Every structure is written in structure tokens, then in C-alpha cells.
Amino acid sequence: LNYQYSHVDVPERDQYFRAHLARLRTELTFNTVFSLLMFFQYSSMDHFGVNNIRFRYNPKEGNDLFIVFNSGYNTDLFRDNPALPVIDNNSIILKYTYTFIRER
């Protein structure tokens, strides 16, 4: 878990900046074959949140199957006209890696 607060004031220009940034990263390893990684982030400056969830299946060494789900969320729906949707983007990615071993 990580949290950052930024507070900047520039009185000569009558400008200020305040932002909250929160991150959460969790990894669960069920056994040597299955694991799950989750990452969530929120930024008050961008009025946006993202998540990344990755499931890994490793049936044997050198072979990996990943299923990745990414999402972006608007947290201030009325900052633009017309109003923004809650879910900004979604993607599901399927990735398979296989390592070839060259014998001599």
C-alpha cells in the first residue's frame, strides 16, 4: 500500500496544486502453478483510477499462460460536458509464452 499527498502553493502567481495518489499492489501465490497479481491506483489530480489484474498459469517451467484484465475509471463524471462514463476503458489480454530449449 502506498499513499502520496502533494501540496504546492505559489503565492506570487496565485496558483496551487493539491493531489492524492493511492496505490495498492497485492500478489497471491496459491502454489507453484497458479498466481494472481492485482494493482489498483487512484489519482485525485487526474480524477481517474486504474486496475490491473493478472492471473498466471504455469503448468511447467518455461510455459506460462497469462490472463490480464485492465480497466480505467472516471471518478469525477461531471468534469466535462457531456458527463463522462464511469468506466473509461477495459481490456482483456491473453498471453502464452513457451521457451524452446536447444540441445547441443
Side-chain angles (χ1 to χ4, degrees):
L1 179 62
N2 181 288
Y3 173 77
Q4 179 180 342
Y5 175 70
S6 299
H7 177 118
V8 177
D9 281 320
V10 184
E12 297 83 26
R13 295 185 178 182
D14 194 29
Q15 295 179 340
Y16 66 92
F17 170 88
R18 290 175 180 79
H20 301 268
L21 181 64
R23 295 180 182 132
L24 174 65
R25 180 185 164 108
T26 304
E27 186 169 357
L28 303 168
T29 302
F30 303 107
N31 51 39
T32 58
V33 177
F34 297 104
S35 65
L36 184 67
L37 178 89
M38 297 175 286
F39 176 75
F40 304 95
Q41 179 173 302
Y42 164 74
S43 169
S44 68
M45 186 66 188
D46 297 325
H47 305 286
F48 202 71
V50 295
N51 71 2
N52 173 275
I53 301 170
R54 182 179 71 192
F55 174 77
R56 178 182 178 224
Y57 172 61
N58 178 241
K60 64 181 184 174
E61 197 61 37
N63 294 22
D64 290 298
L65 174 67
F66 294 95
I67 301 170
V68 182
F69 176 70
N70 293 310
S71 257
Y73 303 96
N74 292 303
T75 59
D76 182 3
L77 304 181
F78 301 103
R79 70 178 184 264
D80 285 337
N81 191 8
L84 299 170
V86 173
I87 297 174
D88 186 66
N89 59 62
N90 280 326
S91 67
I92 295 176
I93 301 164
L94 182 66
K95 178 183 175 183
Y96 179 74
T97 61
Y98 180 84
T99 303
F100 294 96
I101 300 173
R102 187 182 78 158
E103 296 185 26
R104 294 178 183 219

